[in-house]
């Protein structure tokens, strides 16, 4: 039982570190991540502990733990791959998207809240002309870290 508790605890530490700090372990160029290995170790320890507490033979505990732990690693890695393939990695062109200036915008600084579905947070913005906070704007240029905006004029 101690072996299962130690492996489960080590898996929990690896899982928490991977989630908080980022992937600290990457085996085979993304084939296995620290997160999925942590999940597998936690499941291995949990299954082994449950089987041992119920009085089954130790060899059954090890076999059951290995099988269920490997399945947990595979399922976790599959979910990680699916999540990493979502639109977070997709390039979104924001030119033409409208929004609202949340601060005064100048040539060197500013912030906007855009109306696009993909835009959940505010973006850094700049403009060739001063724009007051609260003004409706439209994105004229999209750069990786900021957007260049101009005042929105419906007649244009």
């Amino acid at each position: 039982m101690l072996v299962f508790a130690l492996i489960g605890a080590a898996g929990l530490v690896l899982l928490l570190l991977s989630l908080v700090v980022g992937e600290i372990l990457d085996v085979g160029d993304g084939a296995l991540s620290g997160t999925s290995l942590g999940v597998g170790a936690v499941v291995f320890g949990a299954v082994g502990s449950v089987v041992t507490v119920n009085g089954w033979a130790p060899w059954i505990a090890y076999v059951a733990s290995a099988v269920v732990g490997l399945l947990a690693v595979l399922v976790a890695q599959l979910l990680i791959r699916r999540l990493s393939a979502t639109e977070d990695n997709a390039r979104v062109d924001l030119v033409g998207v409208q929004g609202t200036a949340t601060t005064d915008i100048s040539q060197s600084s500013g912030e906007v809240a855009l109306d696009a579905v993909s835009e959940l947070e505010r973006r850094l913005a700049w403009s060739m002309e001063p724009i007051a906070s609260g003004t409706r704007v439209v994105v004229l240029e999209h750069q990786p870290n900021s957007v260049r905006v101009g005042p929105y004029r419906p007649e244009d």
Side-chain angles (χ1 to χ4, degrees), residues 11 13-14 23 25 32 38 42 54 60 81 83 86 90 99 101 107 112-114 122 125-126 146 150 155:
V13 168
L14 177 61
E23 286 300 333
L25 181 65
L32 287 174
V42 168
N54 284 312
I60 294 174
R81 284 188 184 185
L83 285 173
T86 60
Q107 288 185 359
V112 294
L114 299 176
R122 295 176 178 167
W126 62 280
S146 64
E155 66 276 355

Side-chain angles (χ1 to χ4, degrees), residues 75-153:
V75 168
Q77 191 62 37
L78 177 68
L79 291 174
I80 290 168
R81 284 188 184 185
R82 283 196 178 176
L83 285 173
S84 65
T86 60
E87 70 178 54
D88 288 345
N89 294 333
R91 174 120 168 88
V92 176
D93 187 21
L94 297 174
V95 174
V97 173
Q98 297 176 26
T100 305
T102 56
T103 64
D104 289 339
I105 301 173
S106 67
Q107 288 185 359
S108 61
S109 67
E111 188 177 77
V112 294
L114 299 176
D115 297 340
V117 175
S118 63
E119 296 298 300
L120 300 176
E121 298 177 2
R122 295 176 178 167
R123 282 201 177 252
L124 295 176
W126 62 280
S127 176
M128 297 302 284
E129 58 186 287
I131 298 175
S133 179
T135 304
R136 291 293 292 167
V137 296
V138 63
V139 175
L140 303 173
E141 182 182 338
H142 179 198
Q143 299 173 350
N145 297 324
S146 64
V147 290
R148 181 171 67 93
V149 296
Y152 174 70
R153 296 181 183 99

Side-chain angles (χ1 to χ4, degrees), residues 6 8 12 15 21 37 43 51 53 63 66 79 96 109 111 113-114 122 126 134 148 150 152:
L6 291 174
L12 184 59
L15 178 61
V21 176
L37 291 175
V43 169
V51 171
V53 166
V63 170
L79 291 174
S109 67
E111 188 177 77
L114 299 176
R122 295 176 178 167
W126 62 280
R148 181 171 67 93
Y152 174 70

Side-chain angles (χ1 to χ4, degrees), residues 11-79:
L12 184 59
V13 168
L14 177 61
L15 178 61
L16 290 174
L17 282 173
S18 294
L19 292 174
V20 173
V21 176
E23 286 300 333
I24 58 173
L25 181 65
D26 190 18
V27 180
D29 195 29
L32 287 174
S33 67
T35 304
S36 64
L37 291 175
V39 167
V42 168
V43 169
F44 180 91
V47 169
S49 297
V50 168
V51 171
T52 302
V53 166
N54 284 312
W56 291 53
W59 70 271
I60 294 174
Y62 283 103
V63 170
S65 294
V67 169
V68 177
L70 284 173
L71 284 173
V73 168
L74 293 174
V75 168
Q77 191 62 37
L78 177 68
L79 291 174

